Amino acid sequence: MRTTVKHLLLAISLGLSMPALAQEATVTLLPAGTQKIAKEIYGQFAEHLGTCIYGGLWVGPESSIANTDGYRNDVLQALKDLKVPVLRWPGGCFADEYHWMDGIGPRSKRPSMKNNNWGGTIEDNSFGTHEFLNLCELIGCEPYISGNVGSGTVEELAKWVEYMTSEDGTPMANLRKANGRDKPWKVKYLGVGNESWGCGGNMRPEYYGDLFRRYSVYCRNYDGNKLYKIASGASDYDYNWTKVLMENVGNLMDAVSLHYYTCSGWTGSKGSATKFDNDQYYWTLGKCLEIEDVIKKHCAIMDDKDPRKHIGLLVDEWGTWWDEEPGTISGHLYQQNALRDALVAALSLNVFHKYTDRVRMANIAQVVNVLQSMILTDTKGPGHMVLTPTYHVFEMYKPFQEATYIPLDLQCQKMRVRHEMNKDMDETKDDGYRTLPLISASAARTTSGSTVLSLANVSIDKASTVNVNLGDLQAKDVSGRILTSKSVADYNDFEHTDRVKPVPFKDAKLKKGQLTVKLPAKSIVVLELK
């Protein structure tokens, strides 16, 4: 890894600091308001893609891999430990080719289908509506159903809602009972299509807006179940899509989605998840933080039509997207997950916390074996599982769920990083340079009354002393954990499952209303103050 001469010269000319000079930062906690960090910010996403479902979540009841009714026991426990609040399914692009009736009834009689979006895999539909909704009950999370608008019909989606949520007396309720489920499930979140501007139908926003109005009429509330209807929203910088939906759909939708990937482009190589240089590392963190500007611009458009913020903005796909690991199946998007990805997760979550007055949910892509996943598995008996560095960030950040956001003022050194990748992916300014703060922070008052503080130092090679002014907070005790490793490229695999894992953190000291934290390079620390 290296810091390039052009970066150094640029930093000097701008009066900014390079990582090697990053030594001190100040965080000042401001008075807390009433803004809650919705637990759904920590949502997950499971698509029929590669081995996310088959071999990841589901192995079937006859598998030699330890399972409960077909669900992998190790993955089940890991997701319970994570306190997953909401799980989105069945896609993604897969959603707009999925016909739900193929995935109900006796598994031996379900037709197979070809997954045209992801590698041409033949799927047997053994994981369908019952399997997904029962999984959500097992891990204690809300289901988020993405409905088929691209290749489906209004009738098909309307009947799916009826099948899942109607009590009795309707044709679909009777069919559900015949398939072994007497009582309906509670299904709150319903996505009306996915990426309708692209793989979900290649539509114009005006056309999709009219479709949403039509579909939403027939997706009804049954027997006390109230749907939260989500419009298929924009890809990152497409602000016109949001504008048109706000004008043409408005309060007929409960929320609109937003997708944002830390990715260098959609053609050619995206780079390796584990083999990258200094420039690529800092580019990644600059790109991930640009989501804040994207959120602010979409929120401004929404505020113009909805100043009381009734309509939510859901970042229901986000995360890193690298090249597939060598030797894996093309189209299955299996990638490793390094400490660099964990830093992307921490920085992104810290951004989401600031905008939960509008951002009501976020779903990282994806939960198992796909893109920036929580968990990696293999499908060979007896089966192996590994928790990724990103999983550990989500686990460390659990106290933020439903906590009251504490705004803060952060003063730290910054560097300018050049964007040298695919220009079609962003709206970089200043001749293609971004400003990257070397410290990221977030704070909140937890439901138990303590204060949680997250700090991340993105510098590869220099520790930082962070002085935290606690304001009116009366804290007597501080404890916490740290996630770091020898290299930002370090990752966990089946032979080295704990190379990157949280350990107790001892370098935080309280004295007279001041917290001093010795924050190592390339580290994420979460502290609890009581």
Side-chain angles (χ1 to χ4, degrees), residues 25 126 134 146 163 184 197 257 294 313 323 335 379 423 442 501 508:
S126 59
N134 290 344
S146 289
Y163 184 90
W197 41 264
S257 67
V294 171
L313 180 65
D323 290 342
Q335 69 186 40
T379 57
K423 295 292 186 182
S442 188
K501 68 174 183 179

Side-chain angles (χ1 to χ4, degrees), residues 9 32 36 69 115 145 200 205 220 246 276 281 296 327 349 384 409 417 430 529:
L9 293 176
K36 295 283 187 181
D69 297 328
N115 192 329
I145 296 289
R220 304 184 187 278
M246 291 301 297
F276 49 87
Y281 167 76
K296 287 165 66 175
L349 292 168
H384 300 91
D409 177 70
V417 292
D430 303 318
L529 294 97

Side-chain angles (χ1 to χ4, degrees), residues 2-63:
R2 70 192 192 284
T3 298
T4 61
V5 172
K6 64 185 174 186
H7 284 165
L8 181 59
L9 293 176
L10 181 67
I12 293 172
S13 69
L14 294 173
L16 301 171
S17 297
M18 293 303 294
L21 304 177
Q23 296 179 9
E24 195 159 316
T26 301
V27 173
T28 301
L29 301 189
L30 304 175
T34 59
Q35 181 177 322
K36 295 283 187 181
I37 299 172
K39 62 184 178 181
E40 287 80 12
I41 293 294
Y42 291 84
Q44 299 290 333
F45 173 32
E47 183 170 5
H48 286 250
L49 198 174
T51 55
C52 181
I53 302 295
Y54 300 106
L57 295 169
W58 175 261
V59 292
E62 305 304 320
S63 175

Side-chain angles (χ1 to χ4, degrees), residues 419-436:
H419 181 354
E420 297 177 337
M421 308 224 181
N422 232 331
K423 295 292 186 182
D424 67 348
M425 290 301 298
D426 65 26
E427 288 186 344
T428 53
K429 305 298 183 184
D430 303 318
D431 298 322
Y433 285 87
R434 298 186 180 98
T435 300
L436 174 64

Side-chain angles (χ1 to χ4, degrees), residues 319-365:
T320 56
W321 193 321
W322 309 118
D323 290 342
E324 295 162 334
E325 290 300 310
T328 62
I329 297 173
S330 177
H332 282 194
L333 305 190
Y334 181 92
Q335 69 186 40
Q336 251 299 345
N337 194 301
L339 179 60
R340 174 178 65 165
D341 298 279
L343 284 159
V344 167
L347 269 56
S348 300
L349 292 168
N350 288 350
V351 169
F352 297 152
H353 293 170
K354 296 168 64 175
Y355 298 96
T356 48
D357 59 339
R358 181 69 81 177
V359 178
R360 313 281 166 73
M361 183 192 297
N363 307 76
I364 191 169

